[in-house]
Amino acid sequence: MRVLLIEDDDAIAEPLAEGLGRYGFAIDRVGTGAAALAAPLPDMVLLDLGLPDMDGIDVCRTLRSRSRVPIIMITARGDETDRVVGLELGADDYLSKPFGLRELVARMRAVTRRSRLTDTISPGMPSGGETGPLGTTPQCVGDLLIDRRTRKVHVAGAQVALAPKEFDLLALLAEDPGAVCSRQHILDTVWDPNYFGPSKTLDVHIAALRRKLGNPTWIETARGVGFRLTVSAGGGEDAQ
């Protein structure tokens, strides 16, 4: 697998490239966003958000507009907003600095498996896979309309643009509206049965999905268990 490492810090990039090489990855390394966008399309992108010439978020946006190449964001930023924006733009995962090489490799392998599964099941669709049965009839939950065939979502007649993982997450919750879906089941289904990483990734996607649906009460939190999609239009009460 050819990996494009976008990292301007030599102290991080050089040992990282060497370590990934030992795992069999072929690493092309650039230190700026401009160089990354001019580079040949790789099999995977490792993207540092703190670049000297442009914001990594803008690099992510441009790459995703061009292709479905898997993107893992690498960031030292502690602001959750950066991670949410990156994931909304189509990044497949994020990893906070400092991190271990084995964790990164596990994330890369998991993202690769999901990408290959998506291409096998739904060729031509955005990366992220299909959740639940591939139905031909859109599903209505109150004012919410979910079309799994076209992967489009409407709320009260207005289309809502969702990132691949956000759609998969919503489609999973909609399989049984009102029922609680455990955090582990969501991670196993929407991410990977062997997902290796913080469960906070799920919370980031839930927050982004609530915001895009326009009403946080669409998705309720069952404390210590998981999440449910509310049955009534506009969501239920006491959402977290």
Side-chain angles (χ1 to χ4, degrees), residues 22-225:
R22 292 198 297 269
Y23 279 89
F25 296 101
I27 307 300
D28 295 322
R29 182 249 174 146
V30 295
T32 66
L37 297 178
L41 194 64
D43 299 310
M44 178 175 290
V45 172
L46 302 180
L47 171 61
D48 178 25
L49 294 185
L51 299 173
D53 61 333
M54 59 191 299
D55 196 302
I57 293 295
D58 294 326
V59 178
C60 179
R61 178 188 293 109
T62 303
L63 288 173
R64 182 53 69 233
S65 70
R66 295 178 178 176
S67 76
R68 298 169 53 191
V69 60
I71 301 172
I72 298 179
M73 300 185 303
I74 299 174
T75 176
R77 300 177 185 176
D79 190 351
E80 183 178 284
T81 302
D82 289 317
R83 298 193 293 270
V84 170
V85 170
L87 292 169
E88 286 182 350
L89 289 174
D92 297 272
D93 203 351
Y94 74 88
L95 195 59
S96 297
K97 299 176 181 178
F99 55 84
L101 181 61
R102 285 184 297 176
E103 179 181 2
L104 174 59
V105 170
R107 300 279 192 101
M108 293 170 68
R109 289 173 174 169
V111 167
T112 300
R113 287 193 297 270
R114 294 197 298 269
S115 178
R116 288 174 178 170
L117 179 62
T118 298
D119 290 339
T120 301
I121 296 177
S122 308
M125 289 187 176
S127 61
E130 180 66 76
T131 300
L134 189 62
T136 58
T137 302
Q139 178 186 6
C140 289
V141 181
D143 290 337
L144 182 64
L145 180 69
I146 303 171
D147 190 334
R148 290 177 173 82
R149 184 178 64 84
T150 62
R151 294 179 66 89
K152 291 183 178 180
V153 173
H154 292 77
V155 177
Q159 185 171 339
V160 180
L162 299 182
K165 281 290 182 293
E166 294 164 0
F167 180 89
D168 294 343
L169 174 56
L170 179 62
L172 176 62
L173 294 176
E175 286 184 0
D176 192 0
V180 175
C181 195
S182 72
R183 297 177 66 92
Q184 190 58 54
H185 179 63
I186 295 173
L187 289 171
D188 287 348
T189 305
V190 177
W191 274 263
D192 188 273
N194 299 309
Y195 175 73
F196 185 76
S199 62
K200 189 172 179 62
T201 296
L202 172 56
D203 298 292
V204 170
H205 280 78
I206 288 287
L209 186 54
R210 282 171 169 161
R211 183 171 61 258
K212 288 189 176 183
L213 293 178
N215 188 335
T217 60
W218 271 115
I219 301 176
E220 292 182 347
T221 299
R223 293 190 182 278
V225 182

Side-chain angles (χ1 to χ4, degrees), residues 227-238:
F227 302 93
R228 66 163 64 87
L229 182 69
T230 56
V231 178
S232 59
E237 298 178 354
D238 300 326

